[in-house]
Structures are given as C-alpha cells and as structure tokens.
Amino acid sequence: MAEGGGKPKLSTARETLDTLMEMSKLLNTGLDSDTLALCVRLCENGVNPEALALVIQELRRESAAVKESDASGSS
Amino acid sequence: MASRSSGEGNTAAAVLQRLCCKITGLSDDAVVPHYQFALRILGSNVPSVQGTGDEFQVVEKIKRHLVRRGRENDAATFAELHRKLNSQGILKNTCAILHLLLSLIGTGQTTPRAVTGTSLFGRGLSTFATSTPYPPQPASARSDQSEVVHPSRAASDTVLGATGGAHGTLSSLSHHSQHTTASSGFSSIRGEGLSDGPTPVPHTLVGPGTPFTAWREERGGRVGDSRLSSTSRSENALVPRSSRAVSHLHAGVVATTGDNTSAEIPELDLVKDVVYAFQGIEGKWIKFDSGRDGYRIDPQAGIPKAMRHVISKLAECGWLYNKIRTYVESRSTDKAFGLVGQSFCAALHEELTEYYRLIAVLEAQLHQEQDQGISDGDGLTLRRLVVWTFDPLVRLKTLAALVDVCKGKKGGALASCIFSYMQHGDPYIKSLIKHTLTLVSQPVYVTLMRWIYDGELEDTYHEFFVASDPTVKNDRLWHDKYSLRKSMIPSFLSTDQARRILLTGKSINFLRQVCQDRTPIRGRDAAMAVDIKQAQSMFVQDEESSFQKMIDGVYTDTSLHLLDILHSKYKFMDHLKAMRRYLLLGQGDFIRHLMDLLEEDLAKPAGNLYLHNLNGILETAIRATNAQYDAADILKRLDVRLLEVSPGDTGWDVFSLDYHVDGPIRTVFTPECMIMYLRVFNFLWRAKRMEYILALIWKNQMSNARCTKPIPELASILHQCQVLGCEMEHFIQQVQYYINFEVLECSWDELLHKVQEAGDLDHIIAAHQVFLDTILCRCLLDEKSRDILTQLRTIFDLIIQFETAQDNFYQAVNEELDVRQHFEQTRQKRTDQGEWAVTEAEEQEERERRTAFLRNIIPSTRAQMTDMVQRFLVMVTCHQDVSLRFLSFRLDFNQHYKVKEPNSRSPLAMQRQRSRPV
C-alpha cells in the first residue's frame, strides 16, 4: 500500500496523492480525492486500470440514471 | 488478474465496495449489485493492457490528447507533474494509475457515453435481478452533446484553461441561456462558440464543480439533434484508438478534416522507410519513380499530408545520395579519368562515408527502439530526422552540385569547376568546398612540385596544364616540346603563374638535356618535404602569398641558374657579339679586306664559284685583320655559304657569310633566326658593295683626270660624271649611315640592355627576336617595304651600271686618245715630211668621228639617277618607320630634289602616291 510505509512516508504519500489529484483535474476525470485514493489503492493492488475505469463510468451512469429517475419521479 | 485481486483478500474488495458507495452515493446495502457487477467486470472481460502499454506510452497519449485540444500549457504541466510523481517514487504501479486517468479523460461530471460500455453494463446488469433499467435515449443524447461541440473544442478548451474550474457555474449558465435562444444548436453552437465572448463550454470540459442540472436542462432543447450522430460517440476513452477512428470515418465530415489515423502508418515504420530512402533503397511506401526521377510516396498509404511533405523533403537526401554514388561508381572504374578525377571521387566517397555513419547511427537507434519499444523521449521521429539531416542535406546538395558541374571534366578543368564554388557565402559550404578542393588539387599540386623542382612530368592522363610532346628533339626542346594546356589551367592559378611554372620546369629540362647540367635546384629536398602537403596554398592565394612566393622563388632560381650556365659555360654573349661583327658587318676592317680579296672572284658568274676557294679567301681575310684575335671557337664557326643560284647571278648575288651554331645557343639562334641574319647580311653586303663601287668610280675619275685633259670637249661630260658620282655617293653614304647608326647600333644597344636585364631565357629569345625583326623591317626587308627595297635595288643597279658606263667611257676616251695621238703623230710625221698635215677628206672623217663619239658617249645615266632618287624619296617618305623618314630628310637635306619636283614630298603628293595603284 502506498500509505502503509509508516509515518515518514505519510507526507510523501499525501504529496503523491495531491499530484495525482492535480493530474486528474487537468484531465478532467471527474474523480474527487477520496475516489482517487481508492482507485490508487486498487491499482496498486494490481487491478486492471481499464476495467476499473469502465467500472467507474458505469457506476456513475447508474447513479446518474437513478438520480434522474428520482428527479423525474419527484417532479 | 481476477485471481490476484481476490487472492489478496478483503482489502481490495473492501476498497472496491467503498468506491462503489462513493460513486453511486448509495448505502452499503444498496450498492451490493453494483459492487458485484464491478467485481465481475474487473474479473473477466476487459483484456489486460498492462503487458502492451507502458508508462511512457500512456503519458505520451495523454499529452497528445491535451495538445490536440490546444492545451499545450496543460500538457507541459502534466509532464511536470508526471516527473514529480516519478521522483516521489511511492507508487508501485504508476503506469496503471496513469492508464486509469487516461481512460477517464474528459469524463468528469458527464455521464459516460460509450456504447460498448453501456451495452456491456446493461448486459451485465440484466443477468442480475437487481439491475436498474437502462434508459438508452438520454445516454445517446448526452454523448451527442459532446460530439457536436467537438469542432470548437479547441477554443473552448482555452477558455476553460484560463477561467479554470471556478467559473464552471457561470459558463454553464451562459451556455444554458444561449441554448434557449438557439433552435437547433448544431451550426449555431459552432459559430457562436468560436466568435462570442462567453463560450458555450461543453459539459465534458466543465470543471468538477459544475451543477449537474445545468446541462440537463439544456439537453432538453437539444434532443432533436441527438440522432444526427448517435453512432459516433467516439469520445469515450475506453474505446481503442482504431475503432474510434473508424467511427470518425463514419461520421464523414469530421473524418476527412481530422487526422485520419485509421490507415495511419506508425511513424516508426515511416522513419524506417525514410532511412531506407536515405540509402537509396526503396522502402515500403517510398518508391523511386524513375520516370519523374525522384522519390514518390505511395499515394494509397495513409500518411497525413504534412508528413508526406516532410518525407518528400527527407527523401531528397536519398536522391542526392544516389546521384553522388552513381557518379562515384561510374567514375571509379574509369581508368582514363585521371588522378584528379580519382581524388575527386575519393573526396566524394569520404563525404559519403560520413553520411553512411549518420545512417548507421539512425539505423542503430531504430533497431534499439524496435527491440525495446519506446522507452524514453529520444525516439526517432520524422521531425527529428529533418533536424538531424539538415547539415548532411546541405553537404549532399553541394556535392551534388559539384557532381553536376564536374560531369565530363577532368584534370585542371575539374579543379577549376570546384574552385568556382569557393566564393560561396556560406562559410559551412565554403569550408566543405575548400576541403574537397584540397583533396582534388592534391594530385595537381604534386605534379606541379615534381615539375618545378625536378622537371619531371608524370601526367599519364593529360590532366596537368603543362603538356609535353615526346616527338620533339632536343634542339627544339625550348620552343616546341612543352606547352600550356589552356583548358587544364586551374582557375586559381593566374596565367602568369602558369607561364612561370611552365618556364621553370622547362628550364630544368633544358639544363638537364641540352646543357648537360645536373646541378640540383637549391633547397629542393627541403621544399619537397615541406610543400608537398600544401595543395591548399594554391587556391587561398588571396589570403596568403606563400604559393606565389614559392613559385617565384623557384622560378627565379632556376632561370638565373640557366642564364648563368648559358653565359659562363656556353658563352652566349660572345656568340651574340660574333654575330654582330661578322654577319652584321660590325668588324669593318675584316669586311673591307674580304671584299678586296673577293672582288675578282665574285665578279664571275655564280656557277663558277667554288666554296673551297672562297673559304681560303675567308681564312686569309681573317688572318690579315683584327678578326684573328677572336676566340678560335668563334672563328671556327665562321663559314662561307652560297645562296641558291639563279641564272644570271654573279658571285655578288649568292655570296654570304655563315655562322654555325649548335648546342644550347641554338635555342636562341634558331635556324629561322639564322636565315634572317643571312638576309640582313645580304642586304648589308650589297650596300657595302655600293660604297666600294663608288670608291672605285672616284678612283677612276681621279686617275683618269689628267689623261682626259687633251680632249677639252669632254670637260662637261666629266663634270657631269663627277656630279652624278657625288650624288650617288651622298645617297649611299646617307643610306649607310642610316643602316649603321640608326638601325644596327640602336637595335644592338637595346638588345644588349635587354639581355643583361633578362630574367629567363624566354626574355632573351624575345629580345633577340625583336632585335632581328627591327633590323629586318628597317633594312626594308619585310613585306611592306618591298617596293622601296626594289627601288633601292634599282638605284644600286644604276650605280653598277654607272660604273660600267664610266668604265666604258674611260675606255672610249682612252681609245679616242689613242686615235687622236695616232692622228697627231701622223700629222706630225707628214708635217715633218713637208706634206699637208691633214687632207680634206681625213679632216672631214676625223670631225665626223669626233662628233659621233661625243654624241654616243653622252651619258643618259644622270637623268635616270635623279628620277630614281626622287621616286625613292617619295616612297621613303611614305614609309611608316620614323627613322626611314629621317633618311629622306637627310638625303634631301638641301632640297635639291624638291626643287626639281616641288610637289614630290608634300603630303598631298604622298597621298597621291599612295592612292595611285602601283
């Protein structure tokens, strides 16, 4: 794990995450820092990134669809 | 992969679940179906990219993505961030994360639109009972949204880059208001997006903080357009590159204007092809078109226009290379091409070797890349090739130009051609040309050195500018054996230098072969050792003068040495003076004595002359006069020569002195020169003879003066004879004066002066030639003076006639005297005998006889003489030579002839004389 390196590594881990977050913003991936951290963990665990991206997108759409249906249902 | 993630136990699974919760915003329980499906996806269906892609590639892709949308700054920032990430070095799997980011590019706040993804998810969900129904229509509309805006994306991107995520709300709001006015947004969005201030920012690009509702409301108005390109939802980053391009092709307009990456040949392959083309080998797509004499890129191949352009430019290298190589190959085998040509080929080859080195480096890099895949930023691209081949291209171009201009040339001409490029303004090209020229002129320089120091001509291929004619014998060595090949004189050598070089070598050969002098040139060995490498000095003469100095030095040394040998060993001056004394009648006492001795013999017809008699007389004359003090060598060379005898000639006409020349001085006194000498001698001899005859006439007059007294009637005749004789004497004296002082002495002095000043043998030869030409011309022996000469000859003949006539006259007078004496004696006897002294008849007879005598003897010579002298004067006056005109003044100093015919010497008369056809 990236954060599992102990205290001295904690700050560097944060920095790394910040850097990644900046990249993410630059690329407009729409990930917030928590999500990104989770993704990083998964990737570090060897999860296929493309598959993960697919999952993320699908989940987003799912939630969007749910929200939409909620919204239409409420209005 | 799935086994790995599951094998690692709960952590990964827990993280995934948290992720699901986070994204969907559902509770732990509600998210279960999503979580399950996510697990399924991760476990199975997407092929792993880890093996094929590497970090660099991913980063490049991202950067390219950014750059393509005009966000160069962001690309740079991203590169910077990536570098930072690497330096932190915590992540084990940076690549994977980057890949994830790449896959998620542009998905922020918009719902993903991938058809593949949707159907996949939908299909996946349908297997689960808990799945939410998937509404396809809104999804397609949303994807359409981003697609439509695509063309103006670059513009909107910049705005976004400037305003940042904080303005997300504002921009989306303005976007919204705009769409309420726009009826069917396709064209209006594009147009206004490019022109108006608040850009209609597409939601794919709006920052993370954008309210979700904004685009949803807007989308309502745009549902109608959504079907237009519902198939081309290509922006989904998950779709592989190729399939995305295919969808572009379907989209039609976009496909043609955009980068047609579908058939795009990987740049690496193109680079490989280009490197082949560099070597003149045809590649897969770059073919040599012999019809158009150039490389042609396969028009079918999917290569963008810009790249084609770059490739055509690069292919120029190959074309030039081919050209040079063909030349080198064709010439290398040509034996008759000569050393200069060979060294040119060698120089070209050297340059080509440099070029090969470049190609080798390129190829090595290419192989490396192929073996390792793209590892760092140093990969070969066409752009890099353009930069790297810039200098070689310039070199090749220059060399090809040289090859063009040197076609069919060899030797010095080739060097001249190359030298003409030396004035190039570009110092880079200039130094290249200089280098080439140094190599090319090396053989010329070596030959030149051998020539001016050793006099050896090693020029098997006739490339050197000195040509030798092996058929010429030693006696004509100086004049005919060596000559300049004008076409082969390199243009960096001046004509004067070429002449000096020719002379230097010629002098050495002359010394060796004719003078038998083998003294080596001073400083030869040192010079050969030093100079042999300095071919460059030949064509940088405007910068330094070492070459000129060297040439001058050797030239002066050699020439002076030669002259020294000529003067000391071969006594050139003595021979020259002997010529003057004997052939040009400088030795007066000798000539006079010779004439005295020869007079009798020469009066005979030419056929009765015998050389041995004349030789004997010559010997006698030499021994009796000051000539005996001359060197034996010179006297030995003196000889009598009889010219060709024509009928009626007397000995005077054919007699001539001769002077034998041999060895080195024969180079100066060539047979042609000797003939000129003989002609001058003949003329001088005649003039001298006139003087001699006139002296005889005078002698006769004097000796006969007393005995003619008894006949008083002759007084007037005798007077006339004397006047005529004086006139002739005056004429001949003036002519002699003219010849001796104005012609011979002046020219002689000039010649002596020039010989002393002379720097080389050529100067002497030229001065001698000038001397002879001047004498010939002034002695009226040249073509132009032929008329005057004829006139002069006639006068000479007249003098001879006069002599004869006077002789006859005196003979007649003597006879008359005898007759009268006899008559007187008879009369005296008769008177003594007491008879009549004369009878009537006798007296009558005597008177008649005397009248007849007087009538017959009146010489008609005088009138002729005057007439001829006048004519001669007119001719002389018309002559171009100034000194001859002086002669005419001197002849007519008291205007004796002018009085008789006043117009004869006026300019008008001269003109008349000239214009009158003779």
Side-chain angles (χ1 to χ4, degrees), chain B residues 835-853:
Chain B
E835 295 173 21
W836 286 105
V838 277
T839 60
E840 186 72 17
E842 273 175 347
E843 200 176 322
Q844 181 64 35
E845 189 189 337
E846 176 71 15
R847 197 176 295 133
E848 274 174 13
R849 198 189 54 77
R850 286 189 184 188
T851 342
F853 165 71

Side-chain angles (χ1 to χ4, degrees), chain B residues 316-367:
Chain B
E316 190 184 0
C317 266
W319 187 83
L320 293 168
Y321 162 76
N322 255 351
K323 189 186 175 87
I324 297 169
R325 199 198 51 191
T326 316
Y327 179 82
V328 170
E329 276 173 5
S330 71
R331 285 309 185 172
S332 302
T333 51
D334 185 1
K335 285 269 190 289
F337 193 39
L339 295 174
V340 177
Q342 295 297 350
S343 51
F344 181 48
C345 286
L348 288 179
H349 203 80
E350 196 178 287
E351 291 297 329
L352 287 187
T353 311
E354 283 296 314
Y355 181 68
Y356 289 144
R357 192 167 297 155
L358 170 79
I359 291 177
V361 169
L362 290 180
E363 286 221 308
Q365 193 148 2
L366 212 56
H367 279 300

Side-chain angles (χ1 to χ4, degrees), chain B residues 574-712:
Chain B
D574 291 351
H575 289 293
L576 197 61
K577 281 178 182 155
M579 291 281 180
R580 165 83 180 98
R581 275 208 299 275
Y582 299 112
L583 292 191
L584 303 182
L585 313 189
Q587 186 86 26
D589 61 334
F590 165 75
I591 295 297
R592 173 76 203 193
H593 194 68
L594 186 67
M595 208 170 260
D596 278 342
L597 294 175
L598 282 173
E599 197 202 354
E600 230 173 285
D601 280 308
L602 292 185
K604 295 178 194 166
N608 295 352
L609 288 177
Y610 296 103
L611 265 183
H612 53 268
N613 289 346
L614 298 177
N615 273 331
I617 293 171
L618 180 68
E619 284 287 304
T620 321
I622 289 172
R623 240 176 272 137
T625 59
N626 278 327
Q628 62 182 306
Y629 301 114
D630 263 338
D633 177 49
I634 288 172
L635 294 178
K636 206 171 63 194
R637 291 166 186 264
L638 209 53
D639 195 11
V640 171
R641 181 168 177 175
L642 292 179
L643 306 178
E644 263 182 63
V645 179
S646 52
D649 278 352
T650 61
W652 291 107
D653 295 317
V654 293
F655 175 80
S656 175
L657 278 182
D658 197 5
Y659 194 85
H660 293 294
V661 283
D662 53 10
I665 55 163
R666 201 182 162 86
T667 302
V668 182
F669 302 112
T670 56
E672 294 85 50
C673 286
M674 291 318 292
I675 286 174
M676 290 168 104
Y677 269 115
L678 290 187
R679 287 180 67 193
V680 175
F681 174 81
N682 194 268
F683 174 76
L684 296 175
W685 184 248
R686 265 172 211 278
K688 191 80 187 166
R689 189 188 163 210
M690 291 308 121
E691 207 182 275
Y692 189 78
I693 285 176
L694 283 172
L696 275 184
I697 289 174
W698 182 82
K699 211 164 68 184
N700 269 340
Q701 279 172 353
M702 288 305 109
S703 59
N704 288 317
R706 215 145 52 96
C707 50
T708 51
K709 271 193 183 148
I711 315 176

Side-chain angles (χ1 to χ4, degrees), chain B residues 259-272:
Chain B
D259 42 354
N260 52 345
T261 41
S262 68
E264 185 177 305
I265 297 152
E267 189 161 9
L268 200 60
D269 289 354
L270 283 177
V271 168
K272 209 189 292 177

Side-chain angles (χ1 to χ4, degrees), chain B residues 787-851:
Chain B
D787 289 341
I788 304 183
L789 185 65
T790 322
Q791 194 65 32
L792 195 63
R793 284 270 171 85
T794 328
I795 293 176
F796 286 176
D797 287 346
L798 206 61
I799 292 172
I800 295 168
Q801 273 175 29
F802 175 61
E803 195 222 359
T804 329
Q806 194 180 269
D807 273 353
N808 292 337
F809 168 69
Y810 280 119
Q811 221 171 352
V813 167
N814 284 335
E815 275 171 23
E816 179 70 16
L817 273 177
D818 283 348
V819 171
R820 284 194 186 189
Q821 220 167 3
H822 183 67
F823 181 72
E824 280 303 314
Q825 278 169 2
T826 320
R827 206 174 58 175
Q828 194 66 45
K829 206 163 48 183
R830 282 188 189 169
T831 313
D832 290 348
Q833 287 166 358
E835 295 173 21
W836 286 105
V838 277
T839 60
E840 186 72 17
E842 273 175 347
E843 200 176 322
Q844 181 64 35
E845 189 189 337
E846 176 71 15
R847 197 176 295 133
E848 274 174 13
R849 198 189 54 77
R850 286 189 184 188
T851 342

Side-chain angles (χ1 to χ4, degrees), chain A residues 26 28 44 50 57-58 61, chain B residues 49 71 92 107 121 204:
Chain A
L26 213 55
N28 192 23
E44 288 295 290
E50 281 194 24
Q57 285 181 338
E58 289 304 313
R61 205 186 41 229
Chain B
V49 287
R71 295 166 58 184
K92 284 185 290 185
T107 55
F121 210 28
T204 46

